Amino acid sequence: MGDAEEMPRWVSPEKRPCVDGQTQPHSPTSMGAAVSKVFDDGNLLGEIIVRVGFPTTLVCAALVCKSWFCHISNRKFLSRFRKLNPPGMYIGNGPTPKFVPMLPQPPELAAAVRRVESHNFAPHRKLVILDCQNGNVFTSRPEGGVLVHVVLYRPLLPESGLCILPPLPATQGSRNIICDQILPKEEEGGLSYLYVLAKGNYWARNFMVRVYKLQNGVWCMHTSATEQIRPMRSNADALLVGNKIYMIGVSRDGIIVFDLTASSISIIALPQRVSYFRISTTLSRADDASGVYLTHLHELQLHIWLHNGDNWLLVHTFCLHEMFANLGMLDHTLEDGPVGNSCICHVGDNAEFVFFQMRGHTLYLDVKSRTLRKVHGVAGNTQPYSKINPFMMIWPPTFPALKDDPVRNAM
């Protein structure tokens, strides 16, 4: 290794290597130096701590010293840690949406899982889960095709009670409504709420977007824009990425993008040879908030594209037929015949995972490890596709504030 400093070798704490044939007692000083050399290496420390498994242990590790606290609370580290922790999920709508934990779960999370599983929503046959974000579950009870009675539940913090959002701005009926959706947005002070209302008329070649923001308990007009576009369908899903709202399936020309800063509407063409079909095409956020992922399923070929700038980049391709036969099957079986039509239910941020349903099974695809497994369902089930809402733990963890302790902070 030349002049490079050699890494210390781990030895028994009672003994050191032989010198002139004699076994030497291990010096506590040298042992401490070896340990310090490992834990003072920020890169090596990160590789150790990122594997602790769950956020509760992460908070305990942050209490060791200021150096560990600063390393663990770093946004890039937290982002990497979260990618290693799979979500649970709510399946279906109606009176009793069902929470299904992703297995296996570590014993340390058993209490949290039981709390979410036992959570009771206000029973209503039309109850719809709009979204799950950062430990919050947004529900509504649509009436006449319009959102009403939007309620925020916190299954992990039931003592905090319900949060009932104020009545949404009047929509003057449901006619010509293309999109009617609440979009939670994570900001420095916590969650803020946007309400996007898009209306249009195909024959009049008119498309209008209004965005309201909840401020001091009142929905206030935030921005709006109108463009000459022929909308093709209603019930479009909106995705908020940074300061842009993406809507797919509204226009046959591509994805509609509403820029909240510029109050402008533009269109991104779909990738070549990609045709929109609601149950097989969906969008998801990119980490840097400057792009968007498109996931498309066609004849058991799954393609994931990234749009960043002006171009589409194909980043992942999966042959699901081959995966069923050869790869990552884990506990997945399709005992009762050939694979039928499938439906994409949800794609995680940064396209890290995909939930889809096929022949009564709910399947989970881990994109990074390229493994597929069944997480719910019974073979041969002919019930219609259910909505999937992944439920993640509250994030980021709440770390204690550092005290003005020069001795501790210097560690």
Side-chain angles (χ1 to χ4, degrees), residues 87-393:
M89 58 182 172
Y90 278 102
I91 294 183
N93 289 312
T96 56
K98 180 179 181 181
F99 177 76
V100 179
M102 294 287 292
L103 300 176
Q105 288 283 352
E108 289 79 0
L109 295 183
V113 170
R114 286 195 301 269
R115 180 174 293 185
V116 179
E117 285 180 318
S118 62
H119 182 79
N120 293 318
F121 296 93
H124 193 281
R125 65 184 181 86
K126 292 184 179 180
L127 179 72
V128 173
I129 295 181
L130 303 175
D131 193 13
C132 294
Q133 187 168 331
N134 205 22
N136 301 299
V137 181
F138 297 86
T139 70
S140 177
R141 193 176 73 241
E143 292 183 0
V146 179
L147 293 180
V148 296
H149 305 296
V150 178
V151 180
L152 169 64
Y153 293 88
R154 298 183 178 93
L156 289 171
L157 300 170
E159 63 278 4
S160 62
L162 302 179
C163 175
I164 302 177
L165 300 187
L168 298 172
T171 59
Q172 297 179 351
S174 60
R175 185 176 181 180
N176 296 330
I177 290 182
I178 305 298
C179 181
D180 174 39
Q181 192 169 335
I182 290 179
L183 301 175
K185 184 176 183 180
E186 292 189 25
E187 298 181 332
E188 290 296 332
L191 284 178
S192 64
Y193 304 95
L194 300 177
Y195 169 59
V196 55
L197 174 65
K199 303 182 72 172
N201 186 291
Y202 176 84
W203 301 110
R205 195 179 174 86
N206 176 268
F207 181 73
M208 177 273 298
V209 179
R210 293 177 182 170
V211 178
Y212 300 83
K213 187 172 184 178
L214 186 60
Q215 296 178 324
N216 299 320
V218 179
W219 290 104
C220 302
M221 174 63 74
H222 184 59
T223 184
S224 65
T226 302
E227 190 62 60
Q228 290 188 332
I229 296 174
R230 284 183 173 174
M232 299 299 299
R233 59 180 296 271
S234 59
N235 299 320
D237 292 324
L239 177 72
L240 177 64
V241 184
N243 288 314
K244 294 182 179 179
I245 296 175
Y246 295 80
M247 287 175 275
I248 189 171
V250 177
S251 170
R252 67 174 58 186
D253 297 323
I255 302 168
I256 289 182
V257 184
F258 180 61
D259 191 314
L260 294 171
T261 303
S263 298
S264 63
I265 298 173
S266 58
I267 296 179
I268 298 175
L270 294 173
Q272 292 185 357
R273 297 184 295 278
V274 172
S275 299
Y276 174 79
F277 188 49
R278 185 173 188 183
I279 66 172
S280 61
T281 314
T282 190
L283 301 175
S284 59
R285 299 178 186 87
D287 268 351
D288 59 5
S290 62
V292 65
Y293 284 90
L294 182 146
T295 302
H296 181 67
L297 179 63
H298 178 66
E299 295 181 352
L300 295 185
Q301 294 287 327
L302 186 74
H303 301 282
I304 300 178
W305 302 78
L306 172 64
H307 188 274
N308 200 330
D310 298 323
N311 302 305
W312 287 104
L313 174 65
L314 181 61
V315 292
H316 295 289
T317 298
F318 296 88
C319 177
L320 298 182
H321 187 274
E322 292 180 3
M323 296 188 76
F324 292 151
N326 305 310
L327 301 176
M329 297 302 292
L330 300 180
D331 58 351
H332 174 64
T333 56
L334 289 173
E335 301 95 341
D336 62 341
V339 175
N341 293 332
S342 56
C343 164
I344 294 178
C345 301
H346 188 92
V347 180
D349 289 351
N350 210 37
E352 295 167 5
F353 59 84
V354 181
F355 281 105
F356 60 97
Q357 291 181 333
M358 182 178 296
R359 295 183 63 84
H361 295 276
T362 298
L363 307 172
Y364 174 83
L365 174 65
D366 186 314
V367 173
K368 183 177 180 180
S369 65
R370 302 183 70 87
T371 56
L372 175 72
R373 61 191 177 104
K374 185 186 76 171
V375 294
H376 186 259
V378 179
N381 188 350
T382 58
Q383 292 184 356
Y385 298 120
S386 300
K387 187 175 181 180
I388 302 292
N389 291 279
F391 180 82
M392 312 288 282
M393 290 193 68

Side-chain angles (χ1 to χ4, degrees), residues 49-58 76-85 395 397:
I49 298 179
V50 78
R51 289 166 171 78
V52 299
F54 25 88
T56 50
T57 306
L58 199 65
K76 289 185 178 180
F77 174 84
L78 290 174
S79 176
R80 184 183 173 204
F81 180 88
R82 191 179 193 185
K83 292 177 183 179
L84 300 178
N85 291 267
W395 195 260

